[in-house]
Amino acid sequence: MSYFSVLYILVFLPLVIIIYNILPKKVKPLVLLFSSYLFFFLYSKWLLIFIFLSSLSIYIAGIYIKKIEKEKNEKIKDLDINNKKIIKDKYKKKKKIILIIAIIFNVLFLFYFKYLGFFKNILNNILNLFNLNLKFKIIKHLAPIGISFYTLQAISYLADVYNGKIEAEENLLKLMLYLSFFPTLVEGPITRYNEVKDKIYAGQKVTYHSFCFGYQRILYGLFKKMVIADRLNIFVKIIFNYYSFFRGPIVFLGAIFYTILLYMEFSGTMDIVIGTGEIFNIDIPENFRQPFFSKNISEFWSRWHITLGLWFKDYIFYPVSLSKFVKKISNNFKRIFNNRVSSLIMGGIALFAVWSLNGLWHGAGYQFLFFGYYHFLLIFIGNIFEPYIIKLLKKLRINRENFFYKLFRIIKTCLLIFIGELFFRANSLSSGLNMMKIILTNFSFKGFNKVILSLGLDIKDYIILSFALLFVFIISILKEKQINIRKSLSKKNIVIRWTCFYALILSIIVFGAYGAGYTPVEPIYADF
Amino acid sequence: MKNIIKSILFVVILFILCSLISCLLLPHETIRKYGLIKTSSYEILAENENTIDSVIIGDSLIYSGISPMEIWNEYGITTFDVAKSAELINESYKNIKVVINSQHPKVIFFESNVLYRESKNKPWFYIWQELYKTYFPLITYHNNWKKYLFTNFNDSLEFSKINTYKGYKYITKTVPGKKLNYMKEVNKEKSISKENKSYFDKIYKLCQDNNIKLILISTPNMKSWNYAKYLGTKKLAEEYNLTYIDLNVNNPLKIDWKTESRDAGSHLNYKGSLKLSHYIGEYLYNTGLFEDKRNDPSYASWNKAYDFYKKNID
């Protein structure tokens, strides 16, 4: 049951809302938990056991860590500083062991379902390289829905309990709901326990206001997905599957269209997710902040899939850059070079770890690793050259705040993103490289007009696409200027408000790319 | 209470707006005769009674591959594609039953690909699909906005009154196909499931009872058709003593899969459909069962439909 399906929007969600609202406050969170497990079951059937095991494992580990912490506090009560340190270290080690076991337990599931096949292929290739007549075989299994997302949430919970940022939860049901909450289950965002724990279990009533506000947001998400993403999908599918038949500009247009499609699909899903949260008065964190207004790649990743970026920052970047090993390397460099070089190296190592994992998180394939390293290089090179560029601009007397310079940076960033997404969508790394080769070596506009009209989109589709994109663009500009459109709209009279809603609903029904000749985009991030 | 009334009012107005748009986008002739509900599911009901010579039943291979307007233009024979994407044989049976309510075709072509399609969805899915198609026909016809927007409005009003394509879907997209094992000979036929065979038996009996010649046809399809399926269909045709037209073995229509497919060998595009439509027209003409109706005033709407069709594809 996709979030974009009629079944979800007009049947599942309203039913949950009705049952949730008629039952007493105490039971409301249980309604959400039951709905979430039902939602999971509809997707992944009895793989449900794995999300339960993850919840149970972090629950037990959390409680155990809490117990160790309590024991430690009691023991160090009357000790002097030196003995305190010894006892603290001893208990820290104990806590660490629990943390590591629990993380390994959760990551093993993820590895088994998602990466075993990929690493098996690598191993077989290596064996083949040495002419060894050995081949590993594995049976492929369907992964539980949202495993990449809820595993990261489980790890963040464990790490936060370990670091003392949050108290270990003593109610297993709360943790079960945290990992499985149905709006965030399939494509995130990756929430933190302390962000959602109070609201998710508060059992606040769905009000007329929260219902309307939530469904407004859901409608906007539907518009982005059904009018734009699904329409572009026709074109994108052909280009990426049969790129060798096309010239450079068409292949590049395919990459641009795919990037737009991905944004519309993913951010549209987030609108539905956040909208669903709003209905239940649960604040789900935003996952996008107008990413195409970014002036460099780092900024882009702080605006695109924000919760994933923050997760990597908190649980990979900082731990790696502050680890003893990296500190040692950095100190060595400090002695030979200077502070800047040493901090660049320190950050570089942590960045490398982040982007290796980020690439792999997106998929078990070489193209995803390439996708990760591509962004690592862009960010790392950007960090190296930034002071020199600032100096150069000063010499050339170019104001960095100048509109045209900003626009230039935005366009440059977008171009780099299009290339990255080309590899991300390509059927394999070699397909991605071949597509790039076509773009660079066969950049001829001969027959361009004819070809773009023969790939499933007619001129009227392009007109609708242009209007729809303009609409989303205007909303993005207003959001960028911190103007709360929905708040302003809610202050208008009923005629204006309802006209806007009808226009949005009817444009989805009439201009949506569904039915004969269209293939809707599958939930892209649900595969990760 | 105030909020409940507001919500109901909102939904009522939405339904009124949808109905208004439906009136604009749904084929007018059909609504006039059969009302909104039947119209949404069966386009053929828009045709005058007993005016269709031959009906072609099947899946997307049919609506992509056979253009009744081309057959009309060449031979003056009236045909209609009654086909749905990924059609199941029980749906084909139902469609034939609807067709013979208002038409008496002499020949029904049945696309053999349907014989091998098994239902993947649960029964409730089909009930649900039927429900929304029936009570919310705008979902089926929403894409007709293309006839109105960014075009000459007077033209489009007249255009929408006529069922221009007669079930055909005009797609010019070209995606070349390449498959090395296309129709590679094998010894064993692919068997047809018991359930599908029992539906085929029902179809056969329905045609017999209504004095309709049933013809099995395998239209060009490089991706999902194969020699084993061909043998299975041939066997079925022999069992029922039916004519079987196979257009895959040795590629008798000389389909150029590089330029005449819209999706790498699964379906024909417009260019490919010209060849198949010509073949069907010629076949029907050679049966001697049909007259050329191009100059018959009672079929004037077909000539008008052809003018619109031509205008649209040019």
Side-chain angles (χ1 to χ4, degrees):
Chain A
M1 179 174 37
S2 145
Y3 292 128
F4 295 100
S5 66
V6 177
L7 196 62
Y8 177 79
I9 292 164
L10 296 181
V11 182
F12 182 83
L13 191 53
L15 273 178
V16 176
I17 295 169
I18 292 167
I19 299 168
Y20 179 88
N21 248 21
I22 55 175
L23 288 175
K25 194 175 177 177
K26 269 191 173 176
V27 192
K28 285 188 197 312
L30 297 178
V31 175
L32 290 184
L33 177 60
F34 177 77
S35 315
S36 300
Y37 267 57
L38 176 69
F39 188 83
F40 192 103
F41 182 81
L42 291 173
Y43 259 110
S44 298
K45 303 284 178 291
W46 293 109
L47 293 176
L48 190 74
I49 190 76
F50 290 100
I51 196 168
F52 173 73
L53 286 176
S54 285
S55 312
L56 190 65
S57 69
I58 63 168
Y59 169 74
I60 295 170
I63 296 287
Y64 211 70
I65 289 171
K66 193 177 175 181
K67 205 180 132 199
I68 295 170
E69 190 66 24
K70 210 174 158 189
E71 260 181 45
K72 180 198 83 181
N73 288 340
E74 269 173 23
K75 281 212 168 170
I76 59 170
K77 233 189 254 169
D78 306 316
L79 295 177
D80 58 54
I81 296 175
N82 286 340
N83 283 328
K84 258 186 188 173
K85 201 180 173 298
I86 294 164
I87 296 292
K88 268 185 183 176
D89 286 348
K90 192 183 147 194
Y91 277 91
K92 200 180 175 186
K93 262 185 193 164
K94 270 189 179 179
K95 274 182 7 181
K96 208 173 201 171
I97 290 168
I98 303 295
L99 174 77
I100 290 168
I101 291 171
I103 289 178
I104 288 175
F105 181 79
N106 280 280
V107 171
L108 264 181
F109 289 145
L110 184 66
F111 183 82
Y112 174 74
F113 284 111
K114 231 177 115 173
Y115 301 104
L116 200 58
F118 177 58
F119 286 105
K120 177 214 77 179
N121 288 343
I122 292 178
L123 200 66
N124 283 342
N125 287 343
I126 293 168
L127 290 173
N128 209 15
L129 212 68
F130 292 103
N131 286 330
L132 289 168
N133 210 8
L134 261 173
K135 249 190 179 176
F136 287 98
K137 278 182 184 169
I138 52 152
I139 304 162
K140 237 186 157 187
H141 291 286
L142 271 180
I145 190 75
I147 190 168
S148 304
F149 291 94
Y150 75 70
T151 305
L152 294 195
Q153 288 194 177
I155 294 171
S156 76
Y157 170 79
L158 289 167
D160 287 354
V161 170
Y162 171 82
N163 290 323
K165 280 188 191 166
I166 54 170
E167 275 259 315
E169 181 56 64
E170 293 192 347
N171 184 346
L172 172 64
L173 298 176
K174 280 190 180 182
L175 281 180
M176 282 166 68
L177 180 58
Y178 166 59
L179 288 201
S180 68
F181 186 43
F182 70 87
T184 61
L185 182 65
V186 184
E187 296 195 45
I190 299 155
T191 54
R192 305 290 174 85
Y193 192 60
N194 61 342
E195 275 173 357
V196 292
K197 67 172 177 175
D198 294 330
K199 291 261 178 162
I200 210 170
Y201 225 77
Q204 278 194 57
K205 215 174 173 185
V206 175
T207 61
Y208 176 74
H209 179 263
S210 73
F211 180 85
C212 293
F213 247 61
Y215 263 96
Q216 276 170 27
R217 183 90 192 239
I218 288 175
L219 274 178
Y220 184 50
L222 275 175
F223 177 85
K224 289 201 273 189
K225 159 80 165 46
M226 291 177 73
V227 180
I228 303 175
D230 288 347
R231 186 164 262 109
L232 289 173
N233 194 31
I234 315 167
F235 189 98
V236 167
K237 266 177 88 175
I238 299 173
I239 300 300
F240 279 85
N241 289 338
Y242 308 101
Y243 59 85
S244 58
F245 296 111
F246 304 102
R247 293 173 200 274
I250 292 288
V251 176
F252 192 60
L253 192 63
I256 297 174
F257 278 7
Y258 175 67
T259 311
I260 299 171
L261 178 155
L262 184 65
Y263 175 63
M264 295 298 166
E265 194 277 333
F266 196 16
S267 71
T269 307
M270 288 308 111
D271 289 323
I272 292 185
V273 168
I274 294 166
T276 307
E278 280 177 1
I279 292 174
F280 295 101
N281 291 296
I282 296 166
D283 298 324
I284 295 172
E286 294 286 346
N287 226 3
F288 290 93
R289 212 179 59 249
Q290 298 76 256
F292 295 104
F293 293 151
S294 309
K295 290 180 281 299
N296 58 47
I297 299 291
S298 295
E299 190 189 350
F300 178 84
W301 281 98
S302 66
R303 287 165 173 260
W304 173 286
H305 207 170
I306 298 169
T307 55
L308 179 74
L310 288 175
W311 191 96
F312 277 115
K313 194 172 153 189
D314 289 348
Y315 303 106
I316 303 292
F317 186 84
Y318 288 136
V320 171
S321 55
L322 298 174
S323 67
K324 280 178 192 165
F325 170 73
V326 174
K327 269 185 183 167
K328 205 174 155 189
I329 295 177
S330 157
N331 284 338
N332 288 341
F333 272 96
K334 215 183 264 177
R335 258 179 257 130
I336 304 166
F337 301 103
N338 55 28
N339 274 355
R340 192 177 123 68
V341 174
S342 111
S343 65
L344 264 176
I345 297 294
M346 199 165 87
I349 293 170
L351 257 185
F352 185 80
V354 163
W355 284 102
S356 304
L357 291 172
N358 192 318
L360 270 180
W361 182 87
H362 279 92
Y366 293 111
Q367 74 270 40
F368 296 110
L369 270 176
F370 182 90
F371 173 79
Y373 295 136
Y374 170 79
H375 286 101
F376 160 72
L377 273 178
L378 289 178
I379 295 172
F380 192 57
I381 291 169
N383 288 346
I384 294 172
F385 286 102
E386 203 189 358
Y388 304 110
I389 290 169
I390 293 171
K391 267 185 197 170
L392 183 72
L393 290 172
K394 259 188 188 170
K395 271 194 179 170
L396 295 171
R397 289 183 190 168
I398 295 172
N399 180 4
R400 273 166 73 87
E401 294 308 309
N402 178 302
F403 171 77
F404 291 104
Y405 182 69
K406 273 189 193 167
L407 188 67
F408 162 76
R409 292 182 75 195
I410 289 171
I411 292 170
K412 173 211 74 185
T413 308
C414 285
L415 286 174
L416 294 172
I417 292 301
F418 297 149
I419 294 169
E421 298 301 351
L422 180 146
F423 282 98
F424 183 70
R425 169 62 177 81
N427 295 336
S428 64
L429 180 57
S430 62
S431 299
L433 291 169
N434 285 333
M435 287 173 86
M436 273 313 291
K437 195 178 158 194
I438 291 172
I439 292 171
L440 296 171
T441 58
N442 189 6
F443 207 82
S444 154
F445 280 93
K446 200 180 163 193
F448 183 83
N449 291 350
K450 219 176 160 187
V451 175
I452 57 164
L453 291 175
S454 70
L455 296 172
L457 298 180
D458 58 27
I459 192 79
K460 291 172 184 178
D461 282 311
Y462 285 108
I463 294 173
I464 287 299
L465 268 175
S466 310
F467 277 118
L469 285 171
L470 184 69
F471 173 65
V472 176
F473 180 67
I474 291 169
I475 296 223
S476 303
I477 288 181
L478 293 174
K479 273 185 168 176
E480 190 67 8
K481 291 190 168 175
Q482 312 287 334
I483 297 168
N484 191 333
I485 311 136
R486 293 163 73 202
K487 216 173 173 183
S488 330
L489 190 63
S490 68
K491 284 177 192 158
K492 303 275 183 230
N493 68 50
I494 196 163
V495 179
I496 296 175
R497 268 187 291 140
W498 283 23
T499 307
C500 290
F501 302 146
Y502 286 134
L504 197 57
I505 296 171
L506 293 174
S507 60
I508 295 166
I509 295 174
V510 176
F511 301 122
Y514 59 90
Y518 298 106
T519 319
V521 185
E522 294 289 326
I524 301 168
Y525 270 73
D527 280 345
F528 299 150
Chain B
M1 194 63 193
K2 194 181 142 200
N3 288 337
I4 294 174
I5 294 169
K6 254 165 82 181
S7 308
I8 294 169
L9 192 68
F10 184 86
V11 175
V12 169
I13 294 175
L14 181 64
F15 269 94
I16 293 170
L17 287 171
C18 284
S19 303
L20 287 173
I21 295 175
S22 296
C23 290
L24 200 71
L25 297 186
L26 263 62
H28 294 206
E29 274 189 4
T30 332
I31 304 170
R32 217 165 38 232
K33 272 188 193 161
Y34 294 94
L36 240 130
I37 290 174
K38 270 198 170 176
T39 296
S40 64
S41 303
Y42 306 103
E43 274 186 87
I44 194 167
L45 293 176
E47 299 301 314
N48 290 330
E49 280 183 23
N50 297 325
T51 53
I52 304 295
D53 294 329
S54 175
V55 170
I56 306 130
I57 301 281
D59 53 16
S60 49
L61 293 174
I62 295 301
Y63 69 62
S64 309
I66 300 170
S67 171
M69 277 290 101
E70 297 292 341
I71 297 172
W72 170 259
N73 181 47
E74 223 177 324
Y75 299 99
I77 297 171
T78 53
T79 55
F80 209 101
D81 295 347
V82 180
K84 195 184 122 276
S85 167
E87 179 155 302
L88 298 167
I89 196 160
N90 57 329
E91 295 172 315
S92 302
Y93 174 62
K94 200 173 158 196
N95 287 347
I96 297 173
K97 272 171 100 178
V98 171
V99 166
I100 57 176
N101 266 335
S102 63
Q103 300 293 337
H104 187 256
K106 286 180 181 157
V107 173
I108 283 186
F109 290 94
F110 184 80
E111 167 55 57
S112 56
N113 203 31
V114 179
L115 292 168
Y116 290 98
R117 183 170 291 114
E118 303 295 332
S119 167
K120 283 178 195 158
N121 293 307
K122 299 258 168 16
W124 62 262
F125 174 81
Y126 296 103
I127 298 168
W128 163 250
Q129 207 178 36
E130 200 65 31
L131 267 174
Y132 82 70
K133 271 191 167 180
T134 309
Y135 295 103
F136 208 65
L138 187 56
I139 298 284
T140 311
Y141 286 91
H142 74 101
N143 229 16
N144 277 0
W145 64 265
K146 285 188 178 178
K147 289 179 182 174
Y148 292 94
L149 286 185
F150 320 116
T151 183
N152 185 326
F153 193 69
N154 287 333
D155 262 8
S156 58
L157 268 180
E158 201 173 349
F159 185 74
S160 72
K161 284 180 193 164
I162 295 194
N163 193 330
T164 322
Y165 288 96
K166 315 289 179 193
Y168 171 68
K169 290 198 187 342
Y170 168 64
I171 298 164
T172 52
K173 191 165 86 181
T174 304
V175 177
K178 197 164 101 184
K179 190 182 171 189
L180 298 171
N181 291 332
Y182 174 46
M183 296 312 281
K184 192 182 168 193
E185 285 194 29
V186 292
N187 294 324
K188 205 172 179 300
E189 81 264 7
K190 186 173 166 66
S191 57
I192 299 160
S193 75
K194 245 184 180 178
E195 206 191 338
N196 282 5
K197 210 169 167 195
S198 84
Y199 267 108
F200 183 76
D201 195 59
K202 284 182 186 177
I203 290 173
Y204 172 77
K205 281 179 183 147
L206 192 63
C207 290
Q208 282 242 308
D209 293 346
N210 287 280
N211 205 18
I212 299 166
K213 186 177 164 59
L214 179 66
I215 296 175
L216 278 165
I217 185 166
S218 303
T219 59
N221 171 8
M222 194 170 58
K223 264 207 171 153
S224 56
W225 194 250
N226 57 41
Y227 204 82
K229 288 181 181 176
Y230 155 73
L231 288 179
T233 312
K234 201 173 149 212
K235 197 178 163 190
L236 185 79
E238 281 163 6
E239 201 180 309
Y240 282 85
N241 198 18
L242 296 173
T243 307
Y244 173 39
I245 302 171
D246 161 63
L247 299 173
N248 287 287
V249 179
N250 299 328
N251 193 6
L253 298 186
K254 303 271 172 291
I255 297 291
D256 178 358
W257 290 106
K258 280 189 178 157
T259 58
E260 290 171 355
S261 170
R262 68 168 157 101
D263 48 8
S266 267
H267 301 88
L268 296 177
N269 60 13
Y270 171 65
K271 211 174 152 197
S273 76
L274 290 178
K275 285 184 179 171
L276 179 56
S277 306
H278 170 74
Y279 175 86
I280 297 288
E282 195 178 34
Y283 182 89
L284 290 170
Y285 176 78
N286 288 337
T287 59
L289 292 169
F290 309 104
E291 287 166 18
D292 182 349
K293 301 173 191 73
R294 279 174 289 186
N295 295 321
D296 184 340
S298 54
Y299 285 83
S301 74
W302 277 70
N303 284 327
K304 206 168 181 185
Y306 181 75
D307 289 343
F308 281 119
Y309 168 82
K310 196 78 191 128
K311 211 170 166 183
N312 209 37
I313 61 171
D314 284 345

